[in-house]
Amino acid sequence: MDEQEAWERERRLWLEGAGAYQQLLDDECLMAFAPVGILGGVEIIRALDGAPRWLDVEMTERRSARPNDSLLVLAYRADARRDAHDPYAAYCTSTYSRTGEVWRLVQHQQTPIDPSARQPGTAPRQGNSMDEILRSFFKRYESMANRVLAREMDVAETTYAFASDFIAASPAGVMAGKNDQSLKASMEKGYARYREIGTRELKIRDLKITPIDALHSLVRVDWRSVYEADGRPDVVIDFEVHYLVQLRNGEPKIFGWVSGDEEAVLREHGIG
């Protein structure tokens, strides 16, 4: 594992849910947090289950060391937020160990510091607005969608983005659902369909945010999908989805969306 991959894993552990920890942690991993204390193995997963994740994290003052070919140690300063008014800063270390060809996290610790304390010459972080929070949220969602599409991530790791209950509307009708195994199964089916018809990439072209109140927003996402189709040049299709988003415990949750007739658009372009 090179350092770039290690830093990407570290970022995932801050921003993604318990699924990422189950994938990346060693069974004997130990973590130390103030004031929580020391957690090990299954205790870590239990502590994270249902807990709000961070909206964004900035990792600076990065250092790394390789004591041997099977160990990689990261050290850095983390500045993270769960909402616009709750900054958190800590000096962190993480140790990854290799068994065979598989790398797992075996140690992580955080030492909290004053968020306003910066190295000389660096600027303090400013509070994120609702606009910034939502843009960061959908940027992560776009990244995860493409990783699921490429089979680099389990779709279950993306369901944290949805509220416990939601409503969806399209020309086919209106449905209500729950964030449970049925959502995971539906999403797995959807991504399988995307792969079957040659979907190569999903991009966000533009984002328009309309606040409803302090906790709710309507977010129009202009998507662009790219397809590989029977040896033809890439087929590009633009479409839009309107999302209803609630800020809950400092983290955005999608509780509704309105989409067009996707299958009809695909047929118009000779896809599927």
Side-chain angles (χ1 to χ4, degrees):
M1 179 171 66
D2 60 25
E3 289 187 20
Q4 180 178 352
E5 182 180 352
W7 288 113
E8 289 174 354
R9 289 187 179 205
E10 199 71 9
R11 185 173 181 82
R12 286 185 62 192
L13 292 171
W14 278 89
L15 300 181
E16 298 180 17
Y21 279 75
Q22 290 173 332
Q23 179 183 355
L24 301 177
L25 261 64
D26 188 88
D27 290 342
E28 299 297 320
C29 182
L30 291 176
M31 293 190 174
F33 304 93
V36 176
I38 299 172
L39 300 174
V42 68
E43 295 175 319
I44 301 170
I45 306 300
R46 287 174 179 169
L48 288 166
D49 189 23
R53 303 307 302 143
W54 301 97
L55 295 178
D56 190 23
V57 61
E58 179 184 9
M59 294 182 287
T60 58
E61 303 175 43
R62 297 184 181 189
R63 301 280 296 274
S64 64
R66 288 186 183 269
N68 57 55
D69 290 341
S70 297
L71 285 177
L72 175 59
V73 182
L74 304 180
Y76 58 97
R77 171 181 170 136
D79 287 272
R81 291 180 183 275
R82 283 199 172 100
D83 61 41
H85 307 290
D86 185 23
Y88 172 77
Y91 282 114
C92 309
T93 61
S94 290
T95 303
Y96 291 86
S97 175
R98 183 179 66 182
T99 301
E101 297 300 318
V102 179
W103 287 86
R104 293 284 187 268
L105 182 71
V106 295
Q107 174 274 332
H108 177 76
Q109 69 82 31
Q110 297 179 15
T111 303
I113 56 177
D114 181 355
S116 65
R118 303 297 298 180
Q119 288 290 324
T122 62
R125 289 168 60 94
Q126 301 297 319
N128 290 348
S129 66
M130 177 66 78
D131 186 273
E132 291 171 322
I133 290 172
L134 292 174
R135 290 183 185 278
S136 176
F137 171 77
F138 278 99
K139 182 179 179 180
R140 281 191 286 137
Y141 188 75
E142 174 195 48
S143 174
M144 289 188 297
N146 283 287
R147 291 175 63 190
V148 173
L149 192 63
R151 293 189 174 90
E152 296 174 356
M153 176 187 287
D154 190 294
V155 71
E157 296 180 38
T158 71
T159 57
Y160 82 92
F162 297 87
S164 59
D165 299 86
F166 58 84
I167 187 169
S170 72
V174 178
M175 63 157 284
K178 290 186 175 294
N179 189 344
D180 55 18
Q181 282 298 115
S182 64
L183 174 61
K184 178 177 178 292
S186 176
M187 293 178 70
E188 285 177 339
K189 183 178 179 181
Y191 278 104
R193 169 65 174 158
Y194 286 152
R195 297 187 195 103
E196 178 187 359
I197 61 178
T199 311
R200 183 164 58 82
E201 187 177 22
L202 297 167
K203 300 178 181 179
I204 292 179
R205 297 183 297 113
D206 194 18
L207 213 68
K208 182 177 181 181
I209 300 169
T210 304
I212 298 173
D213 58 27
L215 296 177
H216 301 87
S217 294
L218 175 65
V219 183
R220 169 181 158 171
V221 179
D222 292 335
W223 289 96
R224 170 163 291 171
S225 50
V226 182
Y227 302 86
E228 297 174 352
D230 300 326
R232 291 182 287 162
D234 286 345
V235 177
V236 176
I237 299 177
D238 294 339
F239 63 99
E240 64 185 49
V241 180
H242 290 79
Y243 297 90
L244 288 165
V245 185
Q246 180 186 62
L247 193 66
R248 186 172 180 82
N249 296 323
E251 184 173 4
K253 297 289 183 181
I254 297 170
F255 67 93
W257 63 91
V258 180
S259 58
D261 191 339
E262 182 177 1
E263 290 298 321
V265 175
L266 289 171
R267 288 193 297 272
E268 288 177 8
H269 289 79
I271 302 294

